[in-house]
Amino acid sequence: MNQDDPKTLVSTDWLATHLKDPDLRILDASWFLPGSDRDAKAEYDAAHIPGARFFDIDDVSDNRSDLPHMVPPVEKFMSRLRAMGVGDGHQVVVYDSQGLFSAARVWWLFKLMGQNDIAVLDGGLPKWQAEGRETEDLPPVIRDRHMTVRRQNQLVKDVTQVSAAAKLQDTEILDARAAIRFRGEAPEPRPGLRAGHIPGSKNVPYTTLLNEDGTMKAPAELRAVFEAAGVDLGKPAITSCGSGVTAAILNLALTVIGKDDHSLYDGSWSEWGQFPTLPVATGEH
C-alpha cells in the first residue's frame, strides 16, 4: 500500500474522506486507444465519482499538430481548466476507468504546467466501484477559477532531444509499450508506423508497475521492476510509449520512488515510428 501523497498518488479511502472538501477538484481523464469501441465521455456521463469533471485528453491538446494529443499551448490549457472550474488553490485528484491508464498523463500535464497539487487516484474508478462507493450521473456545478501557469520545459522532450539522447547514451530512454510492440513483433494500433523501438531504449511495460487491481506497486517493488529492465536509475530518464499517454505512468512511478530527473517524449512512437530517417531497433535491445 502506497502512502497517500496529494502530489503523486492517493487511495480510494483518502478520496472518500476528502470528497466534500471545498477545494478538492476531481477529474475523470478516461481515454481509450483508437479502435477500442469505447466512448469515454458517454461512460463518464453514465457514472462518475461525485463532483468529477470530464477531462478530454484529445481536446485539451495542441490541435495544430498532426500528432495525437500533444501538449496544448499554455493559454489553451488555462482556458480549458478555467471552464472546468479548476485553478489556483485547488487540490486535484485525477482518475480513469481502467485503473491506471490515462490519468497519469493528466497528472504529468499539470506538473508540466507548474501545478503540483495533483494526485492520481490509485486503482481509479474500477477500485472505487469495486468497493461499492457512490457514483453519480449529474453534471458538476462549475465556478470559474483562475489558474497561474509556469511551464516547466524540462519535463517534456521533442524528437530532436530524444534523438540526441539516444546517440549520446547519457540518458535512459524508457518505453512503456507492451514487449511485443517494443520488439517489433506486433502491429502498431495507429496505421503507417514502423514496428520496433528507439535504439538503446529499455522496455518497461507500464503493466509491470501495477498490481492486479490497477493500483501502483509499492516503491521497493517499482525500483526492482526498473532495475530488472536494466535501467540505470542514476541517469536521467526520458519516457516514451505509443502516443505519450502511458509513458506518464513511468514518470509517476519514478516520482514515487523519489527520482526527479525525468521527462516525457511527447511525440513518442506516433512521431518516431513515422519518420523513415530515424533509426529503429527490433528485438530485445
Side-chain angles (χ1 to χ4, degrees), residues 89-117:
H90 284 146
Q91 169 65 47
V92 180
V93 174
V94 59
Y95 72 86
D96 65 59
S97 58
Q98 295 182 73
L100 182 43
F101 181 71
S102 52
R105 167 73 187 193
V106 175
W107 169 86
W108 171 82
L109 187 56
F110 269 69
K111 300 282 178 184
L112 176 66
M113 297 295 178
Q115 297 286 323
N116 285 313
D117 295 324

Side-chain angles (χ1 to χ4, degrees), residues 238-254:
I238 299 171
T239 67
S240 173
C241 60
S243 66
V245 173
T246 58
I249 299 172
L250 274 55
N251 296 90
L252 179 61
L254 290 166

Side-chain angles (χ1 to χ4, degrees), residues 138-211:
L138 308 165
V141 177
I142 306 266
R143 294 181 188 84
D144 262 21
R145 175 83 69 108
H146 174 73
M147 179 182 281
T148 307
V149 167
R150 297 178 191 87
R151 195 179 138 115
Q152 307 295 308
N153 291 326
Q154 75 281 6
L155 297 182
V156 67
K157 295 285 183 272
D158 65 22
V159 66
T160 312
Q161 293 167 309
V162 176
S163 184
K167 285 193 188 80
L168 291 168
Q169 298 179 353
D170 58 352
T171 302
E172 291 285 34
I173 301 172
L174 311 180
D175 191 324
R177 293 175 302 156
I180 52 169
R181 285 173 65 190
F182 179 84
R183 293 194 301 259
E185 294 163 9
E188 286 296 304
R190 291 178 178 79
L193 298 181
R194 296 171 300 162
H197 58 266
I198 299 167
S201 58
K202 310 273 171 71
N203 191 201
V204 187
Y206 77 88
T207 49
T208 59
L209 301 169
L210 305 178
N211 297 308

Side-chain angles (χ1 to χ4, degrees), residues 28 30 32 37-48 97 125:
D28 180 326
S30 300
F32 302 106
D37 290 333
R38 289 182 68 177
D39 181 334
K41 179 65 164 65
E43 291 183 24
Y44 162 85
D45 288 339
H48 52 260
S97 58
L125 188 63

Side-chain angles (χ1 to χ4, degrees), residues 114-138:
Q115 297 286 323
N116 285 313
D117 295 324
I118 179 165
V120 170
L121 179 63
D122 207 11
L125 188 63
K127 187 167 190 282
W128 182 267
Q129 289 180 311
E131 292 164 352
R133 302 182 191 270
E134 83 177 290
T135 57
E136 65 181 20
D137 56 6
L138 308 165

